[in-house]
Each structure stands twice: as C-alpha cells, then as structure tokens.
Amino acid sequence: KRGVVQRGNYTAPVSLMNVPPQSCFSLEGEDRDVGFIPIYQSMNSNNNQTKQTGQDSCDGDGVIQDIDAWASLWEYSFSALAARGKSKHTVGYQKMEQSHDGPIDHPLLAVDSSSRIISTNLQEKQKARVLETLFETLSAPAAYIAPSAMLSSFANGRQTSLVVDVGHTGSRVTPVVDGYLLHSGSCKSGRGGMWLGDVQQRVLEGCWKINGTDGVVNKWNGWKGAPPCQQDGVTPRYILHSNIEKIKASQLEQLKKSPFHSIAVHEVMYEMMSSTSLQSFGIGTDTTSTPFVGYGSADDNNDVTMEDKNDDDVEVEDDGPSYVLPDGTKIDLAQQAGKDLSRLPQLLLSKDLPSLAQPQTSDANGYASNMLPLHKLVHRSLSQILDADLRKELASNIILTGSASLFPGLDKTLSIELGKVLPASYKHKVISSKSTVENRYGAWIGGSILSSLGSFQQLWLSKKEYEENGAVLGLQRFNNN
C-alpha cells in the first residue's frame, strides 16, 4: 500500500478511478470550490470555462502554474522510489526506514517541456522557480534543466534532428542542431491528444461548436438516432465508484465543474481512441476525406433531423464492431459516426478540420490559426531554416515522438504526406520507435543518457554555485536556444 505524501495543502496523487478525499472539497476558513490546482497551465484548457471562451489550448503549454503542487509530485516520487533511503541497495526497499526529510544523495535533472513559443522572460522565470524548488525545498546537491526536444533527440541517438512531438496539448516541431534548439524554426499546432479527445467527446454527446459557440444541434450527427451519450454525457470512472454515494450532491456538482472531472473524462476518451477495437482499422493512407464532415450541417445533402429517425427505422447490429464505455454504453462502430471515430487519428494529418470543431479564425491558406496538420507543420519549420544544407539534414532525421504519436501507421502516413509538400531533392526520413515505452518516454530516456555521459558532469549546477550566484548562473548554463 503506497503512502501519501503531503506538502502544505496538497496531497499527491489523486486517482482518477476513485472519488477524491473530503479534504479536496474545502479548506478551513476558505470559501472555495473543489481544491484541485492544475500544475501546468495547459490543464486549464480542459475545463468548461476555457471551452466557452475559446482560449487556444496551446497557449502557455508546459508553463507551471502552481509550483507547490509541482513540488508535491516530486516529493511523492521521492517517497515511492525511496530516493532519500541510503540503505535501499543493501537491506532492500521493504526493510529500510522511510524518510521524507533530508537532502537527496544524487543530482536532479528536470525536463523543460514548455513550448518555445512562449516569451523568453516567462521561460527564465519558470526556470528560476524550478531551481529554487530543487535546491531550497528538495535540497538537491546539484541540478540541471534540459529541454524535452533535445532529450528526445538524444534518446534516438542523434545530435541533429527535427523533433516532431505529438503530445496531449498539441503537436510541436523543434529543430535540434548539435544539441541546441533553433528557436526560429520551432512551430506548434493545437492538434494533439486532448483535441482528438475533445472531438471524440463532442461526437458521442452530439454537442459541437457552430460559429464558435457550443450547442446541441438537431441536425445530422452520424448516428441512427440520438448520440449514445447525449443524455448524461461521457461518464468518467470515478462516478461509477461505490464511494460516490458518500459525497453530497452539492459537492458532486462542484466536482463536475472542476479540472479533475474534465481530466477524468479525457482519460476515458484516451482509453477509447487507443483501444485495439478502434486502432485495428488503422489510419490509412487516404487523407483526402476528413472524418465528421457535415455533422451539424444545414445543407440539403445532410438535412436529416433526429426526429425524422423513428425507433423502427434504426437498425441494430449486435454482431457488428462496437466499443463499450466504462458505464456500459455501447458505441456502434458500424454506423457512420462509428466509422469516423475509427478514423479519428487521421485528423492529425487531414487538410480540413471537422465541421463540428471549426475555429473562428484562419490564415491565408485556409488553415486554422495554430491548427496546422503535422506535415504542414514540418514544412513550415523547415522553411524557416535559412541554411539549405541544414534543411536537408533535418529532413532526413525527422523524429516522431510523444504519446499521441503511437497510433498505428502514423509514421508511414506522415512520410507519404511529407513527400507531397517537400522538394523532391529532400530525402526525408521519419524515425519512430516501435516500442511504446521508448516513444512515450523519449525525453526521460534521453535524460538518462545525457546524465550518464562523463563530459556532462561538469555542466551540473551545484548547490554551492546556486547559493553564491543565484539562478542567474543556471539560466546562462541552461540556455540551449
């Protein structure tokens, strides 16, 4: 049984499978909602307020919003890994005495996952806060902050590469040259795992954006009848737990409006889009047709209201392909909407956006602001590199990484699409590990490789250097741009 590490008012971790403890709902002397503090700024894009205001989900990506909550996760990790236990290698983990206080015996390497799009002042401010936490709160003997793109490149055995990171909050393309990031060639798109989950949820609930506003539309939705989750929405796993009866109705309403609920729903959506039932269809090489085209449209071709579909006209195919949500809701994959859900990862490369998630603005080429497909994002990044020889070298070393890049066939389809937009003289090559662990945790693997190099040991920022010079020396040493 794992222990729970507390730091101030924070408790880590909180499971998405169970109802949160009572301490999360209120604090003494405070009148507030559910006490969940998003650690990263991008987590705010999961709540309902951000969806209503239309805030760009890739703004502030990777920016630590609450440093105390961030440090709480470090504390929990140290406890789970027995990082402060000096005798774990001699007497074993189970017999050693647990200690939550005291210094760490080894240096700490922190991964900087912030987008290169954010301002330099914000990056330096975040690094200074991270160094302060590592040295003064966690008592690290030495520390180093490395960008995730550089570590992902090292994990694939390359010092120069074009890293295409398809993550939760979006897709990011970063040129890495001899271990340094080229800020001028960094690009970002909002197409990522969270956006795919949002599109998937809107299809299941029959709710989408029309002219920038949310609404339930009684027009064609791809289902034979009402959408499967239209009445109650997508139900997260914690709602199904037996402990849900122990909390008050008012607390449950607060919980449903919190980031915890949104993250729990997105976890269910991630399970669905990554399941073998949907992945067996593959992405395919045909990206000319966009899934979910015409949903909610009032065109004559798609002017089919749900009221026109009587129950007698609905064909039920019990033997067809299907997917079952945690609450028992059955998703028929044989219907048009189900077929489009099976092609959901294709949206990462499709030219057009689905009609149910159209943005309010677009560029001169008709692409949504910050919503370029992957191959166009790579093309934009390479076009911003002035050196022609360097562009060719980067094109031949395109590294595809990130948890949202694990869809079968994504690397092959990306390579085909790049062949259509890049010059014929460019011998492009997409490198993607076949191992799920290596693809998802490339930055951590690269960090272990970097920290084990003998030449890297002199780059650590020691605690003595930090006490004498502050964070200024660290900012100069960690400047990888």
Side-chain angles (χ1 to χ4, degrees), residues 172-392:
R172 183 187 311 159
V173 178
T174 308
V176 180
V177 180
D178 294 333
Y180 291 90
L181 307 186
L182 292 185
H183 179 74
S184 59
S186 299
C187 302
K188 196 174 191 309
S189 171
R191 301 196 192 193
M194 183 178 64
W195 179 73
L196 291 178
D198 186 38
V199 172
Q200 185 174 243
Q201 180 182 353
R202 291 179 181 276
V203 173
L204 295 176
E205 297 178 354
C207 177
W208 44 77
K209 290 183 178 180
I210 302 296
N211 296 328
T213 59
D214 291 344
V216 178
V217 184
N218 276 345
K219 291 295 183 181
W220 185 70
N221 52 66
W223 302 103
K224 297 178 180 179
C229 300
Q230 184 182 38
Q231 184 175 359
D232 300 324
V234 177
T235 303
R237 292 185 181 274
Y238 80 90
I239 296 291
L240 307 175
H241 201 277
S242 57
N243 291 341
I244 196 67
E245 301 177 356
K246 298 181 181 180
I247 67 174
K248 301 178 182 179
S250 58
Q251 292 178 335
L252 181 59
E253 291 300 321
Q254 293 179 359
L255 190 59
K256 289 183 178 180
K257 298 178 181 179
S258 68
F260 175 83
H261 178 83
S262 299
I263 297 173
V265 171
H266 272 280
E267 185 69 17
V268 175
M269 293 293 92
Y270 178 78
E271 292 176 5
M272 180 177 176
M273 74 174 69
S274 60
S275 67
T276 55
S277 301
L278 277 75
Q279 286 192 359
S280 60
F281 292 89
I283 295 181
T285 58
D286 180 19
T287 56
T288 56
S289 61
T290 304
F292 316 112
V293 170
Y295 285 40
S297 175
D299 296 339
D300 294 336
N301 294 334
N302 296 325
D303 192 9
V304 182
T305 62
M306 288 187 291
E307 287 79 0
D308 295 338
K309 288 287 186 179
N310 298 325
D311 294 339
D312 297 337
D313 297 331
V314 177
E315 298 179 4
V316 180
E317 300 181 10
D318 295 334
D319 298 334
S322 62
Y323 179 83
V324 180
L325 295 176
D327 62 345
T329 302
K330 186 177 181 179
I331 310 301
D332 186 5
L333 300 180
Q335 299 186 33
Q336 181 60 46
K339 295 178 181 179
D340 286 345
L341 287 174
S342 301
R343 297 195 301 145
L344 182 68
Q346 187 176 318
L347 293 177
L348 295 174
L349 294 159
S350 61
K351 178 180 179 181
D352 303 319
L353 291 175
S355 54
L356 59 116
Q358 284 291 345
Q360 302 183 47
T361 59
S362 60
D363 59 14
N365 297 322
Y367 290 106
S369 301
N370 298 328
M371 292 296 288
L372 287 175
L374 289 182
H375 57 289
K376 291 292 184 179
L377 198 65
V378 172
H379 180 267
R380 171 177 289 186
S381 177
L382 291 175
S383 63
Q384 295 174 353
I385 306 298
L386 300 180
D387 192 331
D389 294 334
L390 180 58
R391 284 201 301 267
K392 292 182 179 181

Side-chain angles (χ1 to χ4, degrees), residues 44-73:
N44 277 345
S45 58
N46 284 335
N47 59 29
N48 297 328
Q49 181 179 358
T50 303
K51 292 181 180 180
Q52 293 174 0
T53 57
Q55 178 181 345
D56 190 356
S57 61
C58 63
D59 287 345
D61 177 26
V63 177
I64 299 177
Q65 180 181 358
D66 192 280
I67 196 68
D68 289 333
W70 181 80
S72 178
L73 287 182

